Amino acid sequence: MFKKILDLFHRDNLLNQALKESYIMLDFDREMFVESIKSLRKQDNFELKIDVRKKDLMINEYEREVRKKVLTHLSISGTADITAGLVLTSIIIDIERIGDYTKNIVELALNHPSKLEGSIFEEELVKVEENLTNTFDQLIYAFKNSNVEIARKIMDNSSEITKKCDKWVFMLIKGEGTPQNPTDAICLALYIRYLKRVCSHLRNIATSIVNPFHRIG
């Protein structure tokens, strides 16, 4: 289904322009995500190579432009391309939300006095971070090439990550593995929660490649 929809986007029209802008948005998300993790988890001072807030504002602007182009195209072409327009509109909502959560991670880094350690979860937490970064790369490829097989793998993998994140948060609530410093404990719980939400929105995008419109998300 998504491949047929993608064929519509590849025509020279507003949908094609909107699709290309969604690619840019997803690339921005990946760049912001990598930099946000670095700022919180890999350095003792708040330093960013990119302006994450500015990137987030750019994503918001692209989201408005995509919606405008989709609506304008459908107004002109009628209902023939309505499914394609709805799918893309659904996708950019998830892309925009990922940008918000990466900005939240940066805000944690800004307000946390030093590099955040993962307590007893550190080793597995690093694996989750690496896994999510790789998921961005896989999703960008699958999205641009309508690769259902890769999208399905992302869906399966993301389910495991979200379960793991939930388990860690509940353990922290119960006092299991909680850092002695309350600030670290709060920051770690929020961070894990943000990772889960990023993962969930990546999964939602993957479902748009695999599922019919009514089963996206």
Side-chain angles (χ1 to χ4, degrees), residues 3-11 13 15-16 80-81 84:
K3 192 177 188 307
K4 293 180 180 179
I5 293 173
L6 206 59
D7 289 340
L8 292 174
F9 286 122
H10 286 159
R11 299 173 187 171
N13 55 30
L15 282 184
N16 178 263
D81 298 339

Side-chain angles (χ1 to χ4, degrees), residues 28 31-32 50-59:
F28 280 176
E31 186 180 10
M32 292 164 62
I50 63 171
D51 189 334
V52 170
R53 295 178 189 277
K54 183 177 180 180
K55 289 279 188 181
D56 184 58
L57 290 174
M58 291 173 68
I59 286 176

Side-chain angles (χ1 to χ4, degrees), residues 83-107:
T83 301
L86 289 173
V87 168
L88 184 57
T89 302
S90 174
I91 288 171
I92 62 167
I93 291 172
D94 286 299
I95 294 176
E96 188 273 336
R97 293 302 293 144
I98 292 171
D100 287 343
Y101 283 114
T102 58
K103 186 177 66 174
N104 290 153
I105 295 172
V106 169
E107 290 169 349

